[in-house]
Amino acid sequence: MSLNAWGGKAAEEESRSPFRPPLFMSPPPDCFADDATQHASLMAIPLPLPPRPLLILFLLLPSLLRSSANETAATPPSTALNPFTAKAAVMRYWNRKVTANRPQPAFLLSKLSPLSALDYATFSSLAAAGPSALSPRLSALCAAARLLCSPTRFESHASAATARDGPSDFATYQNSNFSNYASGAVGGTQSFENYSESLNVPVDTFRRYSRDSAGHNDSFASYAPGGNVVTAKFTSYASSATGGTGDFTSYGGDTNIPELKFTNYDAQANGRHQSFGSYSDDANSGDQSFAGYGKDGNGVVSAFASYAKDSNVIGSGFAGYGEGANAARDSFTNYGFNGNVPENTFRSYGDRGNGGSERFSSYRDESNVGDDSFTSYAKGGNAGTAEFDNYGNSFNPGSDSFKGYGQGFGNHEITFKSYIGENNSFKGYAKSGIDFKAYRHPSSSPSSAPAADAAVKPGKKKAGHWLVEPGKFFREHELRSGNLMPMPDIRDKMPARSFLPRSIAGRIPFSAVEAQRFFGIPADTALGKAVADTVAECERAPSRGETKRCATSAEDVIDFAVAMLGSNVVARTTESTAGSKGTVLIGKVRGANGGGVTRSVSCHQSLFPYLAYYCHSVPRVRVYEADILAVQTKERINRGVAICHLDTSDWSASHGAFLSLGSAPGRIEVCHWIFEGDMTWTVAD
């Protein structure tokens, strides 16, 4: 998703030494005609002059306009590109770096900064003085440059009166802070429907919500659906509440990077029922943490049904869950079902509990790999039960670690039924009260393993669609005219952003801490963690045969492509998303560079406040452009770009390509489409 230390360098081809500005800078009247109304507030205050090259362009503007009059006579002045914008600067850079008058790629142009000439000059000048000079103008920069910044305005709700004795509906809410809401409420229902729907960076906080309430019901339906980088914090939610229900239905579904935290949720509650249905289903690469959930509660019931189903790399942490609770009832059904690498940590789960019951049914079933860690699980408890039914029946085996499980547990009963254990570690495990029924371990012989037939054999079962979606990987011979193929979901699911000009991006230190500080992104939010992951991936050593660079500006992308391939290059990307998630007909197919083996530079989007790419050189490939036709009408609906990797010997054996194509590293070539938002560079034909 997300990439070596990003270049982030300022490419000081141009001098940026500041000089004393006049009280007011007035450009030629027609220079900013298209931006005057939008940026009137900027024009009304004293501004520093732009860096020296831009000043020279300002002084030369009349002659530039006269010399180009004949060339632009047919273009209406309102649509002509202002030569002093950030976009125009990159276009000139392209012409200097790329030879043979290669056309500027429309895809790259669409990602360039939308900063007006005035904003470009203003923000570049501020950046030249250092990030601290630019920070006070962050909100204006985020808006004008189309960046991904944390929301700065939150609606707060703290009144308890409106929550009493009646229903309250919260529809189409977003970025809200609920503190002490419904505290002490008696009866009543709160319903959150379509909450934070399809937002880029929603941040919602529920603190001491429904605390000390009695018989109060909360419903979260369609909460944050289709969100991108979702952060939700539930702190001391329903603490000391009596009765009532909390229902999370379709919570965080189809989100990109959910970051959800439940701290002391239902702590010291009495007889409260909690249900998580369709929680984080179809989500991609996020984390949920449950700390002190139901701590010291009495008769608290929690049901996790269809939790993280069909998700990709979802991590869940349960720390101190149900600690000191009495008669807690927890069930995990279809948890991590059909997911890709679900990671779950249960630490001090149910410690000191009395008469608790946990059940794991169809847990991690049909998932790919995955890991669970149970540390000090049910330690020091009394008269509890835990049942693992059809646990770990994964498409590819994962691993489980049980350390201090059930130790000090009195009168307990822990049952492993149909447990598929491939890579297990049992340390400090309780010596009594444990029953292994139909437990299969690699060392077991068929005669001693009744559940051996339940073992999953790779290639015999459908794996998680996040990993091997039909059409995501294919063989080279399939890319031929007249062939029917499934097209995967090639839509760009990253938040919309633009490049920052190099004169600005190069002045912002590329580190997780500095980026979080400059953009005001809390480290414990989904976006904050994504920023840290991006920087870590950039700092990772390249793989064997790989040359990589994280490009923080359009100029960086151009520089890397030219350094790897020479100045006669072309950027290629799939034309649109037409045909995505359907069956398509392949039309005319053309091989780049005559269809021969070549080198390429592939650039993949990284999640960062401004547009940035993880670019790496890929040797021994063939790149194709193919017309994509509608099956029924045979009309062209798209033009796709596909890349075929001829050498896969260094790929992981668990790579999705081999799971879907049924082979192994080095034995076959693997092809895939270039998705929307990504691009590949080759030497021009």
Side-chain angles (χ1 to χ4, degrees):
M1 179 185 45
S2 42
L3 283 175
N4 69 15
W6 288 24
K9 66 185 184 69
E12 306 295 18
E13 299 174 354
E14 305 174 350
S15 168
R16 293 186 176 82
S17 49
F19 52 90
R20 184 180 182 86
L23 292 178
F24 187 78
M25 177 179 65
S26 179
D30 60 336
C31 183
F32 305 116
D34 55 336
D35 303 303
T37 56
Q38 182 179 359
H39 303 292
S41 60
L42 285 174
M43 296 291 289
I45 60 174
L47 296 172
L49 278 179
R52 190 179 302 276
L54 288 180
L55 174 67
I56 295 173
L57 287 175
F58 273 121
L59 297 177
L60 294 177
L61 178 64
S63 60
L64 284 173
L65 295 178
R66 285 194 299 271
S67 64
S68 60
N70 293 334
E71 300 176 12
T72 61
T75 303
S78 60
T79 60
L81 179 65
N82 190 314
F84 305 124
T85 59
K87 182 175 182 178
V90 175
M91 295 171 68
R92 291 191 296 271
Y93 192 81
W94 169 276
N95 292 335
R96 294 200 303 272
K97 300 290 289 189
V98 179
T99 61
N101 294 319
R102 287 293 166 193
Q104 297 157 348
F107 173 82
L108 191 64
L109 294 181
S110 70
K111 305 295 183 183
L112 297 183
S113 173
L115 286 176
S116 67
L118 181 56
D119 283 348
Y120 177 35
T122 300
F123 292 125
S124 294
S125 182
L126 290 172
S132 59
L134 193 57
S135 292
R137 300 296 302 277
L138 179 61
S139 295
L141 175 64
C142 287
R146 196 171 61 171
L147 307 183
L148 180 65
C149 297
S150 293
T152 57
R153 299 180 61 185
F154 294 89
E155 187 172 2
S156 294
H157 306 270
S159 172
T162 57
R164 293 175 181 268
D165 306 320
S168 298
D169 295 329
F170 295 88
T172 65
Y173 267 67
Q174 58 184 333
N175 295 326
S176 296
N177 179 7
F178 291 84
S179 295
N180 292 316
Y181 192 94
S183 292
V186 178
T189 299
Q190 260 73 56
S191 176
F192 294 82
E193 291 191 41
N194 300 322
Y195 191 99
S196 291
E197 184 176 13
S198 301
L199 296 182
N200 256 336
V201 195
V203 178
D204 300 311
T205 302
F206 295 83
R207 190 184 306 275
R208 296 183 297 276
Y209 187 105
S210 202
R211 186 176 185 176
D212 295 317
S213 63
H216 183 69
N217 301 323
D218 305 314
S219 173
F220 293 84
S222 248
Y223 188 100
N228 224 320
V229 188
V230 180
T231 299
K233 298 180 181 180
F234 293 83
T235 305
S236 296
Y237 189 105
S239 293
S240 302
T242 299
T245 61
D247 185 13
F248 289 82
T249 304
S250 190
Y251 188 100
D254 199 26
T255 54
N256 190 23
I257 302 181
E259 178 73 21
L260 311 170
K261 293 187 176 183
F262 294 82
T263 305
N264 288 329
Y265 191 107
D266 273 347
Q268 298 180 333
N270 182 43
R272 184 174 169 86
H273 288 242
Q274 189 64 57
S275 173
F276 292 86
S278 297
Y279 190 97
S280 288
D281 285 5
D282 292 296
N284 179 43
S285 188
D287 292 283
Q288 284 86 239
S289 65
F290 296 83
Y293 189 107
K295 184 176 181 179
D296 296 324
N298 180 48
V300 174
V301 178
S302 298
F304 291 82
S306 192
Y307 188 101
K309 181 182 178 182
D310 294 328
S311 62
N312 182 44
V313 197
I314 289 290
S316 299
F318 294 83
Y321 188 105
E323 185 176 357
N326 181 51
R329 297 289 184 270
D330 301 322
S331 63
F332 295 84
T333 305
N334 286 330
Y335 191 103
F337 181 84
N338 204 33
N340 181 35
V341 198
E343 304 276 347
N344 306 300
T345 302
F346 293 84
R347 182 173 300 159
S348 299
Y349 186 103
D351 280 13
R352 300 183 292 102
N354 180 48
S357 171
E358 289 90 36
R359 182 175 182 180
F360 295 84
S361 179
S362 296
Y363 188 100
R364 236 172 58 204
D365 202 28
E366 295 190 26
S367 64
N368 179 52
V369 195
D371 301 281
D372 292 337
S373 172
F374 294 85
T375 304
S376 297
Y377 188 100
K379 185 177 181 179
N382 179 55
T385 62
E387 183 175 354
F388 292 82
D389 185 6
N390 196 30
Y391 183 104
N393 194 16
S394 302
F395 180 80
N396 269 331
S399 64
D400 299 312
S401 172
F402 295 85
K403 186 176 182 180
Y405 190 101
Q407 283 190 323
F409 202 92
N411 304 316
H412 54 272
E413 181 180 350
I414 300 176
T415 304
F416 289 85
K417 185 179 180 181
S418 299
Y419 183 100
I420 311 299
E422 292 288 344
N423 302 293
N424 295 329
S425 172
F426 292 87
K427 295 181 179 180
Y429 198 86
K431 303 303 181 184
S432 62
I434 312 299
D435 187 8
F436 290 86
K437 295 180 178 179
Y439 177 91
R440 192 183 77 80
H441 191 272
S443 61
S444 302
S445 63
S447 60
S448 62
D453 292 339
V456 182
K457 298 178 181 179
K460 299 297 184 180
K461 213 174 210 180
K462 179 185 176 183
H465 74 274
W466 279 99
L467 189 65
V468 285
E469 182 184 6
K472 187 170 184 179
F473 303 104
F474 51 91
R475 300 292 301 275
E476 192 172 18
H477 65 79
E478 297 180 68
L479 202 62
R480 68 179 188 276
S481 180
N483 189 37
L484 288 173
M485 292 179 62
M487 175 70 78
D489 186 358
I490 64 171
R491 295 173 300 163
D492 178 12
K493 296 183 179 180
M494 287 283 193
R497 293 149 297 149
S498 296
F499 281 115
L500 267 181
R502 180 184 264 177
S503 59
I504 300 174
R507 297 291 185 174
I508 303 172
F510 185 75
S511 76
V513 173
E514 292 299 326
Q516 290 163 354
R517 178 183 297 121
F518 178 81
F519 288 102
I521 304 171
D524 64 344
T525 61
L527 184 55
K529 290 191 174 184
V531 166
D533 289 343
T534 291
V535 173
E537 181 65 13
C538 285
E539 294 174 345
R540 174 186 58 80
S543 304
R544 186 168 69 90
E546 178 190 37
T547 304
K548 54 181 281 193
R549 179 179 184 181
C550 288
T552 61
S553 67
E555 293 93 333
D556 282 353
V557 174
I558 296 170
D559 284 348
F560 185 74
V562 169
M564 292 293 101
L565 305 173
S567 59
N568 189 22
V569 294
V570 61
R572 307 174 190 269
T573 190
T574 298
E575 183 177 271
S576 71
T577 61
S580 182
K581 301 178 69 175
T583 299
V584 297
L585 178 66
I586 302 300
K588 183 178 180 181
V589 179
R590 297 167 293 279
N593 304 136
V597 178
T598 184
R599 291 179 62 88
S600 74
V601 167
S602 293
C603 293
H604 311 280
Q605 277 194 70
S606 300
L607 188 51
F608 213 66
Y610 51 82
L611 188 60
Y613 277 89
Y614 173 79
C615 296
H616 60 150
S617 67
V618 185
R620 289 190 51 75
V621 300
R622 274 192 282 263
V623 178
Y624 295 93
E625 288 186 341
D627 288 343
I628 297 174
L629 314 179
V631 175
Q632 299 298 326
T633 65
K634 307 297 188 297
E635 294 182 356
R636 188 180 77 82
I637 58 174
N638 200 352
R639 179 170 288 115
V641 174
I643 183 170
C644 293
H645 300 265
L646 307 182
D647 183 3
T648 60
S649 57
D650 285 334
W651 293 23
S652 169
S654 62
H655 194 286
F658 305 127
L659 294 178
S660 62
L661 300 177
S663 189
R667 295 184 180 179
I668 61 171
E669 86 294 338
V670 173
C671 305
H672 62 84
W673 298 105
I674 300 298
F675 283 20
E676 179 191 27
D678 294 344
M679 55 186 152
T680 192
W681 298 71
T682 64
V683 175
D685 292 322

